[in-house]
Amino acid sequence: MAEPCNVVVLISGSGSNLQALIDDLHGAGSPARIRAVISNRADAAGLSRARAAGIDTRVLDHTRYAGREAFDAALIAEIDAFEPQLVVLAGFMRILSGGFVRHYQGRLLNIHPSLLPRHKGLDTHRRALEAGDAEHGCSVHFVTEELDGGPLVVQAVLPIEADDTPERLATRVHHREHLIYPLAVRWFAEGRLRLGADGAMLDGAKLPATGHLIRT
Ligand code: GAR
């Protein structure tokens, strides 16, 4: 059997997406193996999730670096020590420099809590409600130098309900995140997903601009 795809996961917080990846990818026969979890915050709860699963952890505190370029260079060195084929951003709340993004071109995935290109940035659930959107959801995409703007891989779409609050919506979206991120990572690890010259490709065919759509 082929060697599993080495994955490094970057986090800043709770790590519920990390947990979904751990749960999905553990065990014999998995196409991917999480080699390390790296956080820019020492108090990120996701670090305990990684340790509990026996995964190597590292903390790189961004406040100890002179600036973004210096931090990102140190982060690259830390990540590359694990020789990953894929780097997964799972609630990593840092804007990455162009140099970092180019270094991992085609092997850097992110998850975002909105139906991109709608609601880039923060506070997406409140903004979706305030905009009167009929639908909301989450997106996995390849990371490019455009913030929250890289080619979409998969989106989970859900209807906004009359009694949704930002908190309730966040919970509903989170559940979908935990389904679509392991799916996308598996696709990549199995060699089915790649970044082509003009977008994300699945099984050799260009994905639609929305990525693969899942409606629930
Ligand atoms: C997730 O909702 C993820 O989509 C979001 O941070 C949360 C992390 O939760 N990411 C972004 O907003 C990136 N722009 P988690 O730590 O429980 O996985």
Side-chain angles (χ1 to χ4, degrees):
M1 200 177 68
E3 280 291 298
C5 171
N6 280 340
V7 180
V8 169
V9 182
L10 306 189
I11 63 166
S12 299
S14 136
S16 71
N17 278 287
L18 166 68
Q19 189 68 57
L21 292 167
I22 291 171
D23 293 346
D24 189 77
L25 299 172
H26 85 284
S30 170
R33 165 176 64 176
I34 302 176
R35 289 282 286 109
V37 172
I38 303 177
S39 173
N40 63 313
R41 299 181 55 117
D43 61 354
L47 289 168
S48 310
R49 299 179 189 268
R51 290 186 196 114
I55 299 169
D56 270 345
T57 60
R58 298 284 185 276
V59 175
L60 246 75
D61 179 351
H62 60 276
T63 64
R64 292 172 184 262
Y65 292 83
R68 193 176 302 284
E69 307 290 332
F71 174 73
D72 283 6
L75 187 55
I76 287 175
E78 207 64 68
I79 294 170
D80 285 356
F82 294 99
E83 302 184 334
Q85 283 89 43
L86 176 66
V87 177
V88 167
L89 306 178
F92 188 64
M93 304 309 272
R94 295 267 315 160
I95 292 175
L96 296 163
S97 61
F100 184 97
V101 172
R102 283 191 297 276
H103 183 80
Y104 295 107
Q105 163 93 10
R107 53 193 183 110
L108 183 58
L109 291 175
N110 182 42
I111 191 155
H112 184 78
S114 78
L115 295 175
L116 290 171
R118 285 187 75 69
H119 309 307
K120 298 178 178 183
L122 300 174
D123 217 2
T124 55
H125 311 300
R126 184 185 55 75
R127 287 160 58 210
L129 285 172
E130 284 179 3
D133 292 355
E135 293 181 325
H136 188 45
C138 47
S139 309
V140 175
H141 64 96
F142 280 105
V143 178
T144 61
E145 288 186 61
E146 189 194 339
L147 183 67
D148 295 331
L152 288 160
V153 172
V154 52
Q155 291 191 318
V157 184
L158 53 85
I160 291 187
E161 293 168 356
D163 53 352
D164 267 328
T165 60
E167 295 71 28
R168 186 169 183 271
L169 203 46
T171 304
R172 295 174 62 219
V173 169
H174 243 123
H175 282 132
R176 273 62 172 192
E177 293 189 33
H178 301 160
L179 297 176
I180 66 172
Y181 219 1
L183 178 68
V185 169
R186 273 183 178 266
W187 283 345
F188 188 94
E190 290 165 352
R192 298 177 57 192
L193 172 69
R194 67 184 179 85
L195 182 61
D198 61 355
M201 312 274 296
L202 183 64
D203 296 330
K206 190 173 174 327
L207 279 162
T210 57
H212 178 81
L213 275 187
I214 295 177
R215 290 184 177 275
T216 47

